[in-house]
Amino acid sequence: MKRVSLLGMVSDEYVYVLLGTRGFGFGQLTAGEAERVDAQPIATLSNGMTPFWEDLQNNHADDAIVKDAAKRMLTVDINSDDVDPIILKQFTDNVVPRIRRDPLYCSTQACMSNEGKAMATWSRHLHDVFYLYGLSLSSSLALDPINGLSNAITLSQAMKRSFKGLTGLVTINENGTRVPLYSVYGLDSSYDQTDYLNFTITDGYVVLSKGYTDEYAIWQSRGGKRPLSVPACGFMGENCPKGFWEEYTTYVAVGGAVIGIFLIAVVTFVIYVTSLKISATFYRIRQEQIERNRLLWQIPHSKLRKPANMRELQQQSKRSLQSGPSVMTGDSRFTSETDFGSYEIYFLEKDAVLTAKYPVTGLTRNDYLKFPQV
């Protein structure tokens, strides 16, 4: 159980069912005093045995983790509920040194130095066999005082009995075999073993009896919930519930891709619109600049003013003399009769300009590039 605990296999999903034939249940043989120098005190179960999670070899080094794992166990073993804990302790403490006394009188080195040693595994069973033999001899003599000790039939009849031994209730049938009484043991909230089911064989049939009234008692270490018939992950561990990322990775990836594409489209659209606005602004500025340049050389005819002729100038002079001192203006230096060859004189905002007439024709691109430079 230490190994399964270290492997993390002690959750509510796990149920360990152990089969025994020694009547230990959740117990174990207690080490002798000589083998437990300076050891901690030993706990006992209700049947008088030491719990198996008591680490007697390493001074309780791993008790905690094994005890915790024991909650996940059920043990099927020979029923030992009828064992008297006091008698069992007396037997455990005295059986080893008793071998040096009658009727065995063992005097070997091993026997003479066995003080404080633990009893053998099958000592309790051997005790019950000898106890059965003694009871049967007494009963056979009662049945046949003369031949009771040597009459096999009488002795067999005398062996058919029940008694409480160190391995529990012992029942011998007419065939001279022990009637098995098995129990399914578990641990209660106090970590004491308790029998939940008892079954035996009567006339070739299995007879089952419950040791509980509420199933909650069996699974109390699991919150009263019965374990699943099939583990959540399956018996091969292939059906474990998938985590969020394992379950929805594809959906998250597709959703992320869609969102990413949408964001890229939005950013591209914003950049495109911004570019259009910038381009439109530059185009407008360029057009305004072209228009300004055009206005520098494309002068509307309506802005040109033709100089007055001589007659108009004389009339203006007479009016000027009558009104006050005469002032020579720029316009008076030129008249419409002034000869400039093939050019005509006009005024553009008080500036004299020479003009020439040409046939109507469309302007080329070169004209638009050349005229602003003239």
Side-chain angles (χ1 to χ4, degrees), residues 301-313:
H301 187 271
S302 60
K303 288 188 176 183
L304 297 177
R305 183 170 55 84
K306 193 172 184 180
N309 53 31
M310 292 299 297
R311 184 178 179 180
E312 291 173 344
L313 288 175

Side-chain angles (χ1 to χ4, degrees), residues 109-366:
Q109 179 63 30
C111 291
M112 300 305 293
S113 60
N114 65 0
E115 194 71 35
K117 300 292 184 179
M119 67 179 182
T121 301
W122 299 100
S123 296
R124 296 177 304 129
H125 298 78
L126 186 60
H127 166 277
D128 288 352
V129 170
F130 273 97
Y131 189 55
L132 171 63
Y133 183 64
L135 292 174
S136 300
L137 286 178
S138 298
S139 297
S140 65
L141 287 174
L143 294 173
D144 186 357
I146 299 176
N147 300 315
L149 296 179
S150 58
N151 191 329
I153 296 177
T154 303
L155 188 59
S156 296
Q157 292 176 348
M159 291 180 64
K160 184 181 178 181
R161 64 176 59 247
S162 294
F163 65 93
K164 292 181 180 180
L166 294 181
T167 59
L169 179 63
V170 179
T171 300
I172 306 300
N173 60 20
E174 61 275 4
N175 296 324
T177 58
R178 182 173 180 174
V179 177
L181 176 59
Y182 283 94
S183 294
V184 178
Y185 290 108
L187 294 176
D188 60 18
S189 58
S190 301
Y191 286 91
D192 191 12
Q193 77 173 29
T194 180
D195 59 324
Y196 296 127
L197 291 174
N198 298 298
F199 57 94
T200 186
I201 298 176
T202 302
D203 297 329
Y205 295 95
V206 176
V207 179
L208 180 69
S209 62
K210 294 181 180 180
Y212 65 92
T213 55
D214 186 357
E215 188 179 343
Y216 178 89
I218 301 177
W219 314 116
Q220 57 183 314
S221 63
R222 308 166 189 270
K225 296 181 180 179
R226 181 189 298 183
L228 299 175
S229 299
V230 178
C233 292
F235 291 108
M236 302 302 293
E238 299 174 349
N239 302 323
C240 290
K242 296 181 179 179
F244 176 82
W245 289 109
E246 188 177 2
E247 181 75 22
Y248 299 104
T249 298
T250 303
Y251 298 101
V252 172
V254 172
V258 171
I259 294 174
I261 293 173
F262 176 75
L263 291 177
I264 292 174
V266 170
V267 172
T268 303
F269 178 76
V270 171
I271 294 174
Y272 175 72
V273 171
T274 304
S275 300
L276 287 180
K277 290 183 177 180
I278 294 174
S279 299
T281 301
F282 278 111
Y283 178 77
R284 179 176 54 80
I285 294 173
R286 177 61 179 166
Q287 290 301 112
E288 290 176 354
Q289 183 179 4
I290 293 174
E291 181 64 17
R292 285 194 298 270
N293 292 337
R294 184 188 67 79
L295 293 176
L296 291 177
W297 63 273
Q298 285 187 329
I299 301 171
H301 187 271
S302 60
K303 288 188 176 183
L304 297 177
R305 183 170 55 84
K306 193 172 184 180
N309 53 31
M310 292 299 297
R311 184 178 179 180
E312 291 173 344
L313 288 175
Q314 290 175 357
Q315 291 178 354
Q316 290 178 2
S317 297
K318 290 179 180 180
R319 288 194 295 271
S320 298
L321 290 174
Q322 294 173 357
S323 61
S326 176
V327 178
M328 181 65 69
T329 64
D331 293 356
S332 62
R333 291 178 295 176
F334 303 101
T335 65
S336 59
E337 287 87 359
T338 305
D339 185 13
F340 289 96
S342 59
Y343 295 96
E344 292 185 22
I345 186 72
Y346 278 88
F347 284 97
L348 176 64
E349 297 179 355
K350 296 183 180 181
D351 292 327
V353 295
L354 293 176
T355 64
K357 292 182 179 180
Y358 293 93
V360 177
T361 181
L363 298 177
T364 65
R365 184 173 182 81
N366 290 333

